[in-house]
Every structure is written in structure tokens, then in C-alpha cells.
Amino acid sequence: MKYQNAKDFLDETLLEELQKQAGGRLLYVPTIGEKKNWGEVSGERTKLRERNRQICREYAGGFSVRELAAKWYLSVASIRKILAADKHNPRQHYLGMDIGGTFVKYGVVDEDGQVLLFDTVETPNTEKEFVRALYGVIDNVREQDPHIRGIGVGCAGLIENGNLVTAANLPFKSTPLRDLLASYAGLPVLLENDANCAALGEYNAAEEVNMLYITLGTGVGGGVILNRQLYRGSRGAAGEVGHITIVRDGEPCPCGKRGCFEQYASATALVRQTAEAVKTHPTSLLAAMAKEAPMDGRLSFNAAYAGCPVARAVIDTFCTYLAAGIDSLCEVLDPQHVVLAGGITKEGEGLLAPLRNHLHTQVRVTVAQNRGQSGVLGAARLFSPNGGR
């Protein structure tokens, strides 16, 4: 912006008025004489600090970045720089992304663990479209919140060196996702397995030292917190609890083994067990309900609530396997708390009550409290002392 000497540019009356507004220190004004950015006009650092604090207060009060840019005659980039400066805004916010096969969940999390913003976008079909969609998420979030200091990403699949992602249900094959996002955003990026992120999202550092997180979905996944730290193992593959063996020579598993935990205690396993019961007991209430409702993880629970003994037996058998896996893991890890997540856990006591009948461990077992947001929260917490590398 071109400036001119105020004494040469303004008449005495206007100069006197502007001097009052500028605290008596007005030296230069913009060529468009009515602009009132007096901190820049006078060149006085105190005025600049006052202006920047006022901009931060107005942003906290609800003004958008673009509204502030128009009001203060600054560029959008300048406003973002002011808002992001530590001396004006000591708070730190992090963008968390939870990448799934159907949706990418994302949100802004502050340093106290509060989710300030949450939204989703559909998962694209190709690698190029996927990366472009993630760039769009970054742009959208930074438009709304210029205080972002880092980006945490939870993603399913194999993650090598915290960077390369290969996933069966995502269009990634050795995709350098961390580097791509960091290069685009100009911010530090941490990439982690999605179940590990979800474990961080459920972990309460103030109350627990050790915690085990188990997600019951298509398969069985997990995350382990040991001594207040996310435990990754020697190759970064710790937490694959779905592949401990609970039935010798049991059901075949895609991992190549037989009798894996997830073949008996996942949502997929419950659906299979329900279908077998329907076939074996065609005159049961469960079989009758199956004709009217989809064959999913809720069917046996709904039939059990309606009083069907066949459905109760299905759930009881399912909980027997689930308890066996939990007991074995607790013997090895000795956690203070086991958190269960996944669609099945929406049943609450409908799942926990029969499960307790088969558990031998005295460890507290609950369902996830941050369902739907635990992955986003945990991804942002990768920058915390509990999750940092």
C-alpha cells in the first residue's frame, strides 16, 4: 500500500481529527484517506498490538476472517497471520481426520480436548480424488479456524514409517499420505492407524494409566495405551487384537490363520451366527422377524428383547466368545479399563449384561463415550504427550 505524508495530504481540520484517533502519533495515511488502520498508519508498535488484540477479540466474538479483512482493510492472509500468532492467541487447535471406507470424519479439537467443529465428507473412489478431497477439508477448516497448528490423521490399513498407507478398502497403495498433506498444508502432519486414534480419543489420562480399546465391526480392531502412552509395538502393528486365536482349528480368517477372535466376536460374526440360528430354528420368533427385517447385528438383540429364547442363545454364545478374547487380552496387558466400540455397542446393557456373565476378569468394561467422534478426537491428540511419536 502506498503511503503519503499526512501533513502534505490532509487539511488541518481532518489532520487534527485523525491525530486524536491515532493518539497524536499519526505520521502517514493511506492514499485513500478514510481508512482507519491507525496502527499501520502511525507505524507505532503499541497501536499494532492493540489492533491485533482487537481483531482477535472480534474473531472470538463471531466475525469471520473475510469480514475482519474487509473491516480492517487487510488481506485474508494477514488476518490469518494475526489470529495464528502466539502472542495474540496462545490457544492451539488441531485438525483431526478419521478416514473410513464410507466417510471421512473431521473436526477441530482444542488443547483441552474439546471438539469445536465436526463434519463429514463422502469417501472418494480413486486415490487422486481422495487426496483432493482431503485438501478440500483442510481449506474448509482453515477458512473457519486460522488457529490450526497441526493435522492428525487416523486411517485404516497398513501404515509404514508413519507415512505410506496401503489399505484394502481404500484407494491407497503405498500412498505417501502424510507427506502429501504436510506439503499442501504447510503444517506438521501425524498419521496413525484408525483404531489407535480411536483409543486415544477414548483415553482419560487423568484417571487411567493403562487402557485397552476394542472395536467390534466388520472385523475386530484395537488400540492399547500402556503407561499413559499409545503402544505401537516394534513394527507399529500392536493392537491387532482381532487376530489372537480363541478357537483352535476354528473358522478360517482372511489373515491366513484359523479361529481368530474376529471370526467369533465381530459384527460380521454375529450376523453369521444369527443367520445360522434362523436356518436351524425356522419356526422361532427370530426367524419370523428375519423375514421382515434386514439380517444385521441388531436383529438378534431385537428378537431377544421381544422374548425369543433362540435369539437370547445367539447373543449368549456371541458374548461367550467376546469374553474369552477380553479375558485373554487382560491377562497379558493388565489394563485398568476396557472400552468397547462399534455399532453393536449401541445396545449398551443389552450387550454388557450378558457379557459380564462370562467375563472372569475384574477389569471395568464399558462402551465408548465419544462414539462417532473418538477417531477425530484421537487423531488430534496425536500431538499430545500421550500420542506423540
Side-chain angles (χ1 to χ4, degrees):
M1 182 182 291
K2 182 179 179 181
Y3 295 91
Q4 296 188 17
N5 189 298
K7 294 180 180 179
D8 296 337
F9 188 70
L10 301 173
D11 62 57
E12 285 190 22
T13 302
L14 181 55
L15 177 60
E16 184 178 349
E17 177 63 26
L18 294 178
Q19 287 281 17
K20 287 181 182 179
Q21 294 186 45
R25 299 292 301 220
L26 180 66
L27 300 178
Y28 296 95
V29 295
T31 54
I32 301 175
E34 291 298 320
K35 294 188 177 180
K36 297 180 180 180
N37 190 359
W38 304 130
E40 284 190 355
V41 166
S42 68
E44 186 180 356
R45 289 184 179 275
T46 300
K47 292 292 181 180
L48 281 172
R49 286 196 293 270
E50 290 175 359
R51 178 205 66 180
N52 293 347
R53 292 191 187 107
Q54 180 61 26
I55 288 173
C56 290
R57 284 193 291 269
E58 290 176 356
Y59 179 79
F63 280 82
S64 70
V65 172
R66 293 190 181 281
E67 287 172 337
L68 290 170
K71 178 178 180 180
W72 290 93
Y73 301 99
L74 293 172
S75 68
V76 168
S78 295
I79 293 292
R80 286 177 176 164
K81 185 176 180 180
I82 290 167
L83 293 174
D86 279 334
K87 61 184 178 181
H88 304 306
N89 173 48
R91 307 289 292 174
Q92 297 189 11
H93 298 170
Y94 297 94
L95 168 58
M97 296 188 194
D98 181 10
I99 298 176
T102 305
F103 292 101
V104 176
K105 301 175 183 178
Y106 66 92
V108 174
V109 180
D110 68 13
E111 55 194 1
D112 295 325
Q114 298 298 310
V115 179
L116 307 178
L117 177 155
F118 183 83
D119 208 341
T120 63
V121 295
E122 289 188 8
T123 298
N125 295 320
T126 68
E127 180 185 82
K128 186 175 181 179
E129 291 172 341
F130 210 122
V131 173
R132 188 183 295 118
L134 297 180
Y135 289 167
V137 167
I138 293 171
D139 290 340
N140 179 43
V141 168
R142 296 182 82 178
E143 176 67 26
Q144 299 179 65
D145 189 335
H147 309 317
I148 304 300
R149 302 304 177 84
I151 301 171
V153 182
C155 186
L158 175 65
I159 299 174
E160 300 178 57
N161 303 316
N163 183 28
L164 304 178
V165 180
T166 300
N169 297 319
L170 295 168
F172 296 142
K173 186 174 182 180
S174 296
T175 302
L177 191 58
R178 182 196 62 195
D179 288 352
L180 288 170
L181 297 180
S183 176
Y184 181 80
L187 291 169
V189 175
L190 295 177
L191 179 63
E192 186 59 76
N193 175 268
D194 58 343
N196 283 347
C197 286
L200 279 176
E202 289 294 327
Y203 175 60
N204 188 335
E207 298 180 2
E208 300 161 350
V209 175
N210 304 308
M211 187 198 83
L212 171 62
Y213 176 89
I214 301 175
T215 179
L216 311 174
T218 303
V220 172
V224 182
I225 306 289
L226 292 181
N227 297 322
R228 302 188 189 280
Q229 296 288 321
L230 179 63
Y231 180 67
R232 296 179 172 89
S234 59
R235 297 178 294 112
E240 291 293 340
V241 299
H243 297 290
I244 64 171
T245 300
I246 63 170
V247 178
R248 182 177 177 81
D249 297 325
E251 295 286 340
C253 183
C255 76
K257 299 190 298 183
R258 301 184 73 92
C260 288
F261 186 23
E262 71 175 36
Q263 293 304 309
Y264 295 88
S266 63
T268 304
L270 178 58
V271 171
R272 187 186 70 244
Q273 293 158 11
T274 300
E276 290 171 353
V278 167
K279 185 177 180 179
T280 305
H281 303 278
T283 61
S284 66
L285 176 59
L286 176 63
M289 292 178 67
K291 295 176 182 178
E292 305 295 333
M295 183 67 68
D296 58 21
R298 294 187 295 269
L299 181 59
S300 279
F301 284 101
N302 290 337
Y305 300 151
C308 177
V310 173
R312 287 191 190 129
V314 170
I315 294 172
D316 191 68
T317 299
F318 175 82
C319 287
T320 300
Y321 291 126
L322 180 56
I326 292 174
D327 282 335
S328 296
L329 292 165
C330 286
E331 290 290 347
V332 175
L333 299 172
D334 189 26
Q336 294 165 280
H337 184 195
V338 175
V339 178
L340 303 179
I344 294 175
T345 64
K346 292 180 181 179
E347 302 298 331
E349 280 299 307
L351 171 68
L352 293 177
L355 175 62
R356 293 190 194 102
N357 292 332
H358 299 287
L359 283 170
H360 293 284
T361 181
Q362 298 302 305
V363 174
R364 181 166 62 104
V365 179
T366 65
V367 299
Q369 297 300 303
N370 298 309
R371 278 196 301 260
Q373 295 189 355
S374 56
V376 166
L377 180 57
R381 283 181 175 175
L382 289 172
F383 289 89
S384 72
N386 307 109
R389 292 181 180 274

